[in-house]
Amino acid sequence: MDRVIGERDLESVPFSAEEAIALYRDVVRTRQFDERALALQRRGWMSGYPPFRGQEGSQVGAAHALSADDWLFPTYRSNAMQIAYGVPMSDIFRFRRGHPEYASDHDLNVFPQSVPIATQIPHAAGAGMAATHADADHAVVCYFGDGATSEGDFHEGLNFAGVFDAPVVFFCENNGWAISMPSERQTASDTIAVKADAYGFEGVRVDGNDPLAVRETAADALERAREGTPVLVESLTYRQGAHTTSDDPSRYRFERDDLPEWRTADPLERYERYLREQEVLDDDLIETIHEDAAAEVDRAVEIAEETPHPDLEDVFEPVYERRPPRLAEQQAWLEEFATERDHGELEY
Ligand SMILES: Cc1ncc(C[n+]2csc(CCOP(=O)(O)OP(=O)(O)O)c2C)c(N)n1
Ligand SMILES: [Mg+2]
């Protein structure tokens, strides 16, 4: 990669020290969110969690390039992107505790996190086509992983976007893994970015562990998208943790000596070191930023705990206008299960 952090100074990047610190603050905020979420899940506070540790730079950088009119299509892994874009941490905690996403405390243009792989890609292409149709000047950013590029939805979404000049930035976080499948076995293409050629637009690669490079790449891509050319960004980063809290990576993950150092570098440590060298961060500021982030996470946990548990009805209500019989049956079963559980009639 030609964008390795540390090989340039802040004078040579189009950002002020203030912006560089704002990015750092979000890397710290999201790192602390992720660490707390993992610890809380281990206590049974929420049922499952997909950690994004290692991918903060790849997400925070792009969030800083979006404007408030743009639309974001996230995945289960892109919580840092959402938090940096303005979604309250408490919303994400509540979602993980079973609260519906539509009951959120923000009015940002953020779609529900997609858990089915790649299904958000045609949706994002459609949202981009709708923007063109309405003569609106917002853009759409769609996050997905390396694994999603093997799905038919990836082809369909990028094909439509290319044909209809949709203002969409397709942002692929190549984090080295799709659960236990290493990314080099995901495709026989040289890179993921090169796939954009087939759809008639450009694909670019960026060092995803460098928040400044991601910010600049995403800003360029958004500008081009607004002019009617979609862009595929391949952000090279690394999933440091397990796929989710249900995963045991020791079953498949051995040292990835095949990846270069910059690829598995920790974005927080590396960026902090760089900003110290640039003399825009010192111990005092670092400490304040960490303390503020910890207080914000504490407060978000409190808000989530203060929120009454959702009704079982909330699981079913937003899915279909007219509930199909099989879903009604599942609801009845679940209500019976919950009643027995509440009366202590169930044996675990
Ligand atoms: C359509 C579909 N198929 C399979 C799965 C099971 N699944 C969950 S995550 C995952 C791997 C996704 O890998 P990648 O796209 O690289 O995203 P990452 O988890 O690395 O962020 C799979 C296969 C799913 N959720 N949806
Ligand atoms: Mg992946």
Side-chain angles (χ1 to χ4, degrees):
M1 296 295 301
D2 55 352
R3 305 298 313 259
V4 177
I5 199 167
E7 289 181 358
R8 57 204 150 84
D9 54 38
L10 261 187
E11 310 270 300
S12 67
V13 298
F15 309 117
S16 62
E18 231 172 36
E19 275 180 284
I21 293 171
L23 277 173
Y24 173 78
R25 182 172 285 113
D26 277 346
V27 172
V28 171
R29 288 174 66 228
T30 54
R31 171 66 56 93
Q32 292 210 8
F33 171 89
D34 193 61
E35 285 177 346
R36 189 76 62 88
L38 207 52
L40 288 168
Q41 193 283 334
R42 289 301 185 226
R43 266 179 37 198
W45 194 80
M46 55 188 170
S47 58
Y49 180 71
F52 52 74
R53 189 188 181 92
Q55 298 181 221
E56 295 90 345
S58 170
Q59 299 187 18
V60 162
H64 280 239
L66 282 180
S67 76
D69 291 336
D70 294 331
W71 283 85
L72 172 61
F73 286 72
T75 75
Y76 54 86
R77 182 92 54 213
S78 48
N79 292 313
M81 166 48 147
Q82 294 175 72
I83 292 168
Y85 190 42
V87 174
M89 292 177 184
S90 49
D91 272 16
I92 297 177
F93 280 144
R94 288 197 304 214
F95 167 61
R96 288 270 147 215
R97 279 160 68 85
H99 290 267
E101 268 185 313
Y102 62 79
S104 57
D105 274 343
H106 68 80
D107 55 4
L108 298 162
N109 300 331
V110 178
F111 260 66
Q113 301 181 5
S114 185
V115 177
I117 301 304
T119 53
Q120 76 280 20
I121 301 178
H123 300 164
M129 288 161 64
T132 309
H133 189 68
D135 223 3
D137 56 9
H138 60 252
V140 174
V141 171
C142 180
Y143 261 68
F144 52 92
D146 42 299
T149 64
S150 299
E151 293 280 358
D153 279 345
F154 171 82
H155 166 67
E156 290 160 26
L158 271 71
N159 192 55
F160 264 100
V163 171
F164 289 95
D165 303 324
V168 184
V169 175
F170 295 102
F171 197 100
C172 177
E173 284 195 278
N174 182 347
N175 63 1
W177 296 99
I179 313 186
S180 55
M181 175 73 74
S183 50
E184 58 277 13
R185 289 196 57 208
Q186 196 64 244
T187 178
S189 305
D190 281 346
T191 70
I192 285 172
V194 77
K195 291 174 187 283
D197 283 354
Y199 303 107
F201 52 86
E202 209 187 333
V204 292
R205 301 184 101 195
V206 63
D207 175 352
N209 298 326
D210 176 347
L212 288 170
V214 174
R215 159 86 158 77
E216 194 180 350
T217 304
D220 288 351
L222 279 161
E223 202 177 304
R224 263 183 294 162
R226 284 185 226 287
E227 286 161 9
T229 316
V231 182
L232 171 62
V233 177
E234 178 182 1
S235 174
L236 292 145
T237 181
Y238 194 63
R239 192 193 86 209
Q240 291 183 11
H243 172 70
T244 67
T245 44
S246 314
D247 174 43
D248 173 8
S250 69
R251 298 290 294 270
Y252 58 83
R253 177 163 28 201
F254 310 102
E255 285 305 307
R256 296 272 328 235
D257 289 336
D258 49 329
L259 293 178
E261 191 276 331
W262 63 264
R263 180 68 192 276
T264 55
D266 184 87
L268 173 56
E269 282 171 23
R270 196 177 64 161
Y271 190 45
E272 187 176 298
R273 195 162 61 237
Y274 170 72
L275 292 183
R276 277 183 190 277
E277 280 161 20
Q278 298 289 312
E279 294 180 0
V280 298
L281 269 190
D282 58 22
D283 286 347
D284 287 348
L285 188 51
I286 291 173
E287 198 183 320
T288 310
I289 289 173
H290 276 79
E291 280 171 8
D292 290 351
E296 184 186 359
V297 178
D298 285 346
R299 182 66 199 126
V301 173
E302 277 167 21
I303 294 171
E305 286 178 345
E306 283 161 8
T307 311
H309 281 299
D311 287 338
L312 284 184
E313 172 68 15
D314 289 340
V315 179
F316 298 89
E317 198 278 322
V319 184
Y320 290 100
E321 192 174 315
R322 274 176 297 142
R323 198 159 302 165
R326 67 185 161 75
L327 214 56
E329 266 171 45
Q330 288 177 26
Q331 184 174 7
W333 179 87
L334 195 61
E335 275 163 5
E336 196 181 328
F337 174 88
T339 311
E340 287 175 14
R341 181 201 55 197
D342 293 346
H343 290 93
E345 293 161 17
L346 281 180
E347 282 181 23
Y348 291 98

